[in-house]
Amino acid sequence: MSTDCLQALHRVRQWLQDAHHIAMLTGAGVSAESGVPTFRDAQTGLWAHFRPEDLATVEAFRRNPPHVWAWYAERRTQMRDVLPNAGHRAVADFQRRHPGRLTLATQNVDGLHQRAGSPGVLALHGNIFEDQWLEPCALARRAQDGCTVEQAEAGQPPRCGQCGNLVRPAVVWFGEMLPAAALAEAEQAAGRCDVMLVVGTSGAVYPAAGLAHLARARGARVVIVNPHPSELDDVADEVLAGPSAKLLPQLLEF
Ligand code: BJW
């Protein structure tokens, strides 16, 4: 590591040690070293093979439910087989040693922060392992109450045995609202933190990326951890160019 990089690392570590409150936003890059593909990598990213509008919108699912369901089924299998890496573990260990000092919001749906032991993860884009009903349930006061999933025909997404609804993965697609409570808590943390760590995200998707702008506007220091340039570099006080599984343990081991 160059002298400049080492100095930047020490500077950020000092900011973190001095911080009363730290907010953190993670993206697909934090799970890359666990073997989960990112979205926007030109060679290996998911969008190199698929168009987002064909898979990650409710219109795509309505148009071709088996196609979208099969894509998610494959990713569920892949994500079940991977393990949290040193970056996930460094965050969870820090939270154990310093309860309440770091609020973690993630755009990831893979559950790896939770499996590493991070408490209270704000899952802004949902959870790929959970299902939800496509339409509001006609039979129950709350969607899904009292309903059951019926065995699906091969290749088809399951349907509700009672109301006939199609079942979809409980993730946030483009054009959909983020879970209001999780977003509100993430915004509150970004608005009151002393340091905001933005890790492994291209910063291309809003409102999640807006958390970094909010933190900066409220006077926090914004630090990016990413081996490549991101769309949030202009907002940052420091950009640490490197993989998160290597840098997070170095930043958070105190
Ligand atoms: C490493 C690494 C290593 C590699 N270590 N790093 C304002 C302006 C413009 C548009 C909008 C706006 N506000 C809203 C929008 C529209 C839209 C949007 O943002 N569009 C942009 C693309 C232009 N946003 C929405 O639609 C959101 N909803 C919304 O706004 O609701 C309000 C509303 C509704 C209706 C009408 C009007 C308003 C919803 C966004 C949902 C995003 N969903 C997805 C799919 C989730 C399900 C699934 O997994 O299938 O979420 S899309 C995809 O992108 C996924 C990710 O969470 C998200 C972010 O991607 P991420 O994590 O940044 O991954 P990558 O691949 O982009 O980057 C990886 C990074 O890691 C890279 O930088 C690498 O360098 C780095 N890396 N190895 C560290 N080892």
Side-chain angles (χ1 to χ4, degrees):
M1 197 181 281
S2 71
T3 317
D4 280 358
C5 289
L6 263 180
Q7 281 174 349
L9 196 72
H10 286 133
R11 204 162 33 243
V12 172
R13 214 175 125 99
Q14 191 61 53
W15 293 346
L16 292 169
Q17 282 174 345
D18 294 343
H20 291 290
H21 190 256
I22 300 163
M24 188 169 187
L25 172 70
T26 64
V30 84
S31 297
E33 287 152 284
S34 292
V36 181
T38 62
F39 291 89
R40 292 170 182 78
D41 184 282
Q43 266 82 45
T44 58
L46 295 169
W47 301 150
H49 309 287
F50 305 105
R51 293 188 322 153
E53 58 273 32
D54 287 341
L55 290 163
T57 63
V58 75
E59 292 78 20
F61 186 68
R62 285 190 212 285
R63 210 166 37 236
N64 194 345
H67 178 60
V68 176
W69 185 257
W71 190 61
Y72 278 95
E74 191 182 312
R75 287 176 61 210
R76 279 175 172 176
T77 304
Q78 187 179 48
M79 287 176 183
R80 226 174 249 125
D81 285 346
V82 299
L83 293 172
N85 63 48
H88 300 107
R89 290 197 300 274
V91 179
D93 291 347
F94 180 89
Q95 291 176 295
R96 236 186 319 270
R97 288 194 304 278
H98 304 275
R101 195 158 159 204
L102 184 151
T103 301
L104 172 61
T106 187
Q107 299 167 86
N108 298 345
V109 299
D110 56 28
L112 286 174
H113 281 301
Q114 294 87 336
R115 283 170 61 196
S118 277
V121 179
L122 303 171
L124 298 178
H125 293 167
N127 178 337
I128 200 169
F129 297 109
E130 289 176 5
D131 291 326
Q132 68 187 39
W133 272 210
L134 179 60
E135 313 292 348
C137 178
L139 296 178
R141 259 179 296 138
R142 275 201 315 123
Q144 288 179 234
D145 277 356
C147 289
T148 49
V149 175
E150 207 166 59
Q151 192 67 33
E153 288 169 38
Q156 295 287 332
R159 280 186 183 276
C160 173
Q162 268 83 7
C163 67
N165 236 319
L166 272 178
V167 170
R168 56 163 278 189
V171 298
V172 181
W173 283 326
F174 286 114
E176 294 186 318
M177 306 298 275
L178 275 63
L183 180 61
E185 207 177 318
E187 284 172 344
Q188 199 187 44
R192 75 180 173 98
C193 69
D194 305 293
V195 180
M196 168 121 209
L197 283 174
V198 179
V199 184
T201 178
S202 56
V205 175
Y206 285 79
L211 295 170
H213 295 275
L214 174 62
R216 180 67 195 262
R218 297 279 175 85
R221 288 197 157 110
V222 175
V223 177
I224 293 192
V225 176
N226 197 317
H228 306 292
S230 84
E231 295 195 15
L232 292 170
D233 287 2
D234 288 349
V235 182
D237 294 279
E238 201 69 73
V239 176
L240 299 176
S244 51
K246 181 174 166 209
L247 292 180
L248 287 177
Q250 295 180 29
L251 287 174
L252 294 173
E253 266 169 18
F254 60 87

